[in-house]
Amino acid sequence: MIQTGRLDEFASNYIPLINKCITELLEKKMKKDNEVVKAYYEKIMEYVLAGGKRARPIALLVSYIGSGGEDVDRAVRASISVELLHNSSLVHDDIMDESETRRGLPALHVQYERWFREMASDKFSPPRNSGISLGILGGDSLLELGIEAILESGFPEKATTRSIEEYIIAYRRLIEGQLLDMYLSGLTMPSVEQIIEMLKLKTGALYAASLKIGAILAGREDLLDDLEELGFMIGIAFQIRDDILGLFGDPRKTGKPVDSDIKQGKRTILVTKAYEVLSEDKARKLISLLGKKDLTDDELEFVRNAVIESGALSFSQLMAEEYMERCKDLIDELEMRDDQKELLKEIAERAVRRDK
């Protein structure tokens, strides 16, 4: 039996330290004579600190401590790398999906566009597509800042180099996952197996990197294969649940409109399984609504009902639960501290049973 609440206690202890390290790193970049450069980094800092559960740095720290690591202060400094990389992917994702909001607030590229527009004068005319252009730069800066965080964490050179290698692998996998996500959205309907492969790369890769970097910094490379598999499974379970919340969650909690995935034409497991079961007419209507920007409330309700009545909602939730149980079985076999193994199990549970 997992003692729920221990992860909350762990997170409450470390999230303020994680946020402090993020602030310190960005504030160093803001010490510039050029006011434009200073404001650029200030907006990045505000964006990162505006929300988020810090799930990936927490996973890195649990892995580090569970693997026998003792220099927690340095580990916290290194842990912000995966949070910065995560935010880099969110910034680029919002541009590609044409999303105006993130966590209930304006997306970074929207903030940048407003910033440049506010600076407009007879001496400055904002360039065309300045918001998108600056958003791309912001995402790139977050990627680079993550590498800096590892380099400046104070760990020995070998551990630092290996951690950066895993960081770069994770970034490559994120790109490949985003590529597949775009490709699958262009198919009439992909298979569940194709979607799982995409989720493994787009979401699982960074969880895998977080767990692996924690073990690398603790000197436990013997754990890497199992931790990679664990990270992939946590990420897949997390994203399946995320897709459920994207269609059925409370926007006040998720910060995401319930029609956004449908408007963006996302081919989720929910949609794929519903398509397999629906009558030909309803399946054809479902396809016609995917990617429709002016989706009506009635059309959204059709999609939601189709997903429920076809059994696709139950199928997806059950699949997420099965991944969670597989995670727990793997965690039981890890040669790590028992208290941290319990936290890893709680991380897997939270991925599946969260409401935001």
Side-chain angles (χ1 to χ4, degrees):
M1 177 69 69
I2 295 175
Q3 298 179 20
T4 56
R6 291 184 59 190
L7 184 62
D8 287 334
E9 182 181 355
F10 185 94
S12 67
N13 288 334
Y14 285 106
I15 287 176
L17 301 177
I18 291 167
N19 289 341
K20 181 173 181 286
C21 288
I22 293 171
T23 301
E24 289 173 349
L25 180 63
L26 267 300
E27 283 183 342
K28 282 194 294 185
K29 302 302 174 187
M30 290 160 55
K31 292 177 180 177
K32 306 282 186 179
D33 293 333
N34 190 308
E35 291 300 318
V36 174
V37 176
K38 179 180 178 180
Y40 167 80
Y41 282 112
E42 184 176 16
K43 293 191 179 303
I44 289 177
M45 184 174 74
E46 291 171 353
Y47 174 83
V48 176
L49 295 177
K53 299 176 282 294
R54 308 292 182 253
R56 292 150 192 86
I58 291 297
L60 188 154
L61 291 170
V62 170
S63 176
Y64 175 75
I65 296 169
S67 301
E70 297 179 347
D71 197 337
V72 180
D73 288 342
R74 287 182 177 178
V76 171
R77 290 200 292 273
S79 77
I80 69 171
S81 62
V82 290
E83 183 65 23
L84 295 169
L85 179 53
H86 172 56
N87 277 269
S88 170
S89 71
L90 296 182
V91 171
H92 288 161
D93 198 44
D94 286 341
I95 292 171
M96 295 174 73
D97 289 343
E98 300 179 14
S99 296
E100 297 281 306
T101 61
R102 170 65 63 177
R103 301 166 181 150
L105 298 170
L108 185 61
H109 68 280
V110 174
Q111 294 183 43
Y112 276 141
E113 183 179 1
R114 293 176 182 174
W115 171 45
F116 259 41
R117 197 163 57 231
E118 289 166 0
M119 290 196 296
S121 67
D122 57 346
K123 295 182 179 180
F124 174 71
S125 178
R128 182 173 172 270
N129 291 329
S130 56
I132 290 175
S133 299
L134 289 167
I136 293 170
L137 292 178
D140 290 347
S141 288
L142 283 161
L143 165 67
E144 177 273 325
L145 288 165
I147 295 174
E148 281 194 44
I150 297 173
L151 286 171
E152 297 177 5
S153 63
F155 280 98
E157 182 178 352
K158 182 180 178 181
T160 298
T161 301
R162 282 288 295 113
S163 297
I164 291 174
E165 287 174 358
E166 290 298 334
Y167 182 97
I168 292 170
I169 289 170
Y171 189 61
R172 172 175 55 78
R173 287 171 168 168
L174 284 171
I175 291 170
E176 292 170 358
Q178 184 68 14
L179 166 66
L180 291 180
D181 193 16
M182 291 181 62
Y183 170 71
L184 297 184
S185 293
L187 293 178
T188 301
M189 195 59 64
S191 66
V192 170
E193 290 74 23
Q194 286 176 304
I195 295 173
I196 292 296
E197 177 62 19
M198 179 270 292
L199 299 182
K200 173 182 172 181
L201 294 168
K202 185 174 178 180
T203 307
L206 194 45
Y207 274 101
S210 301
L211 296 173
K212 291 172 74 178
I213 291 172
I216 288 168
L217 295 176
R220 291 292 307 279
E221 299 235 2
D222 58 297
L223 294 170
L224 298 191
D225 288 345
D226 285 338
L227 290 176
E228 178 166 275
E229 183 181 354
L230 177 61
F232 283 151
M233 291 195 295
I234 290 175
I236 291 168
F238 180 96
Q239 194 59 51
I240 293 172
R241 179 61 181 168
D242 205 60
D243 291 339
I244 292 171
L245 293 174
L247 191 56
F248 296 99
D250 183 347
R252 293 171 297 182
K253 293 181 179 180
T254 64
K256 179 180 179 180
V258 291
D259 60 0
S260 62
D261 283 353
I262 304 303
K263 286 182 175 179
Q264 291 166 13
K266 296 286 187 183
R267 266 57 173 176
T268 63
I269 293 174
L270 292 169
V271 169
T272 295
K273 291 305 295 183
Y275 180 80
E276 290 178 3
V277 175
L278 292 174
S279 66
E280 186 175 340
D281 287 345
K282 287 187 175 181
R284 191 181 301 112
K285 182 175 180 180
L286 177 64
I287 289 292
S288 72
L289 297 178
L290 295 178
K292 187 179 180 187
K293 302 300 183 184
D294 57 348
L295 191 76
T296 67
D297 290 343
D298 287 344
E299 289 168 336
L300 173 62
E301 201 57 29
F302 169 84
V303 175
R304 288 158 61 108
N305 287 336
V307 166
I308 294 171
E309 293 168 7
S310 66
L313 176 59
S314 298
F315 175 88
S316 295
Q317 185 60 35
L318 179 60
M319 177 176 280
E321 296 272 351
E322 288 173 348
Y323 271 104
M324 179 188 72
E325 293 302 326
R326 287 169 60 187
C327 287
K328 291 180 182 179
D329 290 342
L330 178 54
I331 292 166
D332 282 333
E333 300 301 318
L334 295 174
E335 293 183 6
M336 299 176 72
R337 280 176 44 174
D338 288 341
D339 59 337
Q340 302 305 300
K341 287 166 67 171
E342 291 303 307
L343 292 182
L344 285 176
K345 289 181 181 180
E346 197 168 343
I347 288 172
E349 279 204 351
R350 292 288 180 87
V352 173
R353 294 177 179 165
R354 62 197 173 89
D355 60 2
K356 59 181 179 179

